[in-house]
Amino acid sequence: MNSKPTISSAAAVQFLTVDEESAGQRLDNFLIRVLKGVPKTHIYRIIRSGEVRRNKGRVGADDRVVAGDVLRIPPIRLSERAEEKAAHPAPAREFPVVYEDEAFLAIDKPAGVAVHGGSGVSFGVIEQMRQARPQARLLELVHRLDRETSGILLIAKKKSALKALQDQFRERETGKTYLALVKGVWPAKLKVLDQPLHKYLLPDGERRVRVTSKDDPEGMKSVTLVKVVKQLDAPVGLSGACSLGFTLLEVTIKTGRTHQIRVHLSHSGYPIAGDDKYGDFELNRLLGRAGLKRMFLHAWRLRLTHPISGESLELHSELPPELQTWAGS
């Protein structure tokens, strides 16, 4: 069994055995890492078409690979541009550290930085950190944050920590709380959002999510808890577009669905300020002119159990400067 699976562009079918350090990863994340330089859209295409097989059977993008799995990879030919990207890895970069020990680290991810390469992005946080820390035996993402979201992101340094932390996320044993600024006056009595979500892909492979009915067989149970922090008046010049001002919310997710907070809040009639996928696009244009150049969604607090010691931890990431003035602080 290979200790570090790698595969390059090949004109023939390849068979790849999943190693122990990769066990527990989603198939799409695993292939994005292993198929260096292959566009993310192509990876999703060969998964959806059934050309990628696991132990001779079909496999989904969000299925998790197991050590010893044999993956069939169809013939892949990279364009010259993709080959060039593969030959020039991500630039090394460190990020502000919230917490670090021998098992894992928590970084403060800035907005506008993807957590990994793909979908038109050559590289992300994890590729940059691997270049910055070439001595590290293992650096793997424990979970995801949207590119536009800032805040706490966990990276495992040991495979035992990776599995333990991912198990906590999967079993909903972590407490993930975000700060979000939404349009309008959020009703204080509306504290629980539990509409199921349906995930789908656009033709280019980009993910989208919508609220669906409770009898939808593909609907995923999704629970979001909302607490009002404060009401804020709209800045001068925005009162016409947002006469009711804004509400700063603490949002805790009990399930970690793709775009969960963004879709739940938007569906409730209170889109997140600056959300370019599910937001109020005309308001976003005005917000941009007024100085808000990003989505106001920040992974603020994370409660978890240390994967080795079993100690309870509570990690915090303060609002970045570009959001503080909009939060009235």
Side-chain angles (χ1 to χ4, degrees):
M1 191 179 297
N2 297 330
S3 60
K4 288 191 176 182
T6 58
I7 187 170
S8 57
S9 86
V13 170
Q14 300 260 326
F15 292 92
L16 180 65
T17 301
V18 176
D19 64 303
E20 291 184 2
E21 289 188 356
S22 301
Q25 283 193 323
R26 286 170 52 116
L27 176 70
D28 53 359
N29 290 344
F30 176 77
L31 292 182
I32 287 167
R33 178 169 65 89
V34 172
L35 300 178
K36 305 293 186 185
V38 178
K40 188 175 178 181
T41 52
H42 185 68
I43 289 175
Y44 281 108
R45 189 178 303 122
I46 60 176
I47 295 173
R48 287 199 306 272
S49 68
E51 293 176 86
V52 175
R53 312 287 283 189
R54 176 171 65 177
N55 305 328
K56 299 184 179 181
R58 291 185 73 102
V59 61
D62 56 357
D63 288 344
R64 296 185 181 273
V65 297
V66 176
D69 279 348
V70 177
L71 301 177
R72 176 196 181 275
I73 311 297
I76 294 172
R77 293 184 181 277
L78 299 184
S79 65
E80 289 185 8
R81 182 181 177 187
E83 292 278 14
E84 179 72 13
K85 284 184 178 180
H88 294 85
R93 180 179 177 182
E94 288 277 6
F95 295 87
V97 174
V98 176
Y99 175 93
E100 183 171 8
D101 62 16
E102 73 284 352
F104 75 99
L105 72 153
I107 66 164
D108 204 344
K109 186 189 86 67
V113 180
V115 295
H116 59 65
S119 189
V121 179
S122 299
F123 53 83
V125 168
I126 195 64
E127 291 88 0
Q128 290 181 293
M129 289 204 65
R130 286 172 181 155
Q131 290 298 315
R133 300 185 177 203
Q135 76 286 356
R137 293 184 58 191
L138 176 78
L139 288 175
E140 291 288 351
L141 290 167
V142 174
H143 61 116
R144 296 183 181 193
L145 285 180
D146 289 348
R147 183 179 181 181
E148 303 88 350
T149 303
S150 55
I152 298 173
L153 178 70
L154 300 188
I155 297 174
K157 297 165 68 175
K158 290 185 174 182
K159 59 186 179 184
S160 58
L162 177 65
K163 182 180 186 305
L165 289 168
Q166 287 184 331
D167 286 347
Q168 286 185 52
F169 277 87
R170 192 177 304 116
E171 299 301 320
R172 306 172 190 173
E173 295 170 351
T174 58
K176 294 185 288 183
T177 301
Y178 295 69
L179 294 176
L181 188 71
V182 299
K183 175 185 177 182
V185 179
W186 184 273
K189 291 184 179 179
L190 183 55
K191 298 179 179 180
V192 181
L193 307 176
D194 62 354
Q195 301 92 345
L197 298 177
H198 179 96
K199 183 168 62 176
Y200 60 99
L201 294 176
L202 297 177
D204 64 359
E206 189 173 357
R207 298 175 185 181
R208 283 290 191 276
V209 179
R210 60 177 173 81
V211 166
T212 189
S213 62
K214 294 188 182 297
D215 58 358
D216 182 348
E218 296 188 14
M220 299 174 291
K221 180 177 176 60
S222 307
V223 181
T224 303
L225 308 182
V226 182
K227 175 184 176 182
V228 173
V229 178
K230 65 172 83 169
Q231 303 293 155
L232 297 159
D233 293 331
V236 176
L238 286 178
S239 56
C242 194
S243 59
L244 297 178
F246 298 90
T247 308
L248 182 64
L249 303 174
E250 283 184 20
V251 185
T252 300
I253 53 175
K254 294 298 183 180
T255 51
R257 308 303 184 193
T258 300
H259 299 169
Q260 176 176 326
I261 295 174
R262 300 165 70 175
V263 175
H264 268 171
L265 297 185
S266 180
H267 179 77
S268 299
Y270 301 88
I272 296 176
D275 187 343
D276 65 355
K277 289 184 173 67
Y278 308 99
D280 182 327
F281 304 128
E282 176 58 24
L283 177 61
N284 289 348
R285 185 178 64 82
L286 298 174
L287 287 168
R289 288 183 179 178
L292 184 63
K293 306 294 186 182
R294 53 159 292 194
M295 178 174 66
F296 196 124
L297 184 61
H298 179 72
W300 168 58
R301 183 178 67 205
L302 179 61
R303 292 171 174 156
L304 68 152
T305 300
H306 192 281
I308 305 300
S309 69
E311 174 189 5
S312 295
L313 297 177
E314 182 171 302
L315 309 177
H316 287 87
S317 166
E318 296 307 314
L319 277 175
E322 72 269 17
L323 298 185
Q324 289 179 9
T325 55
W326 291 87
S329 58

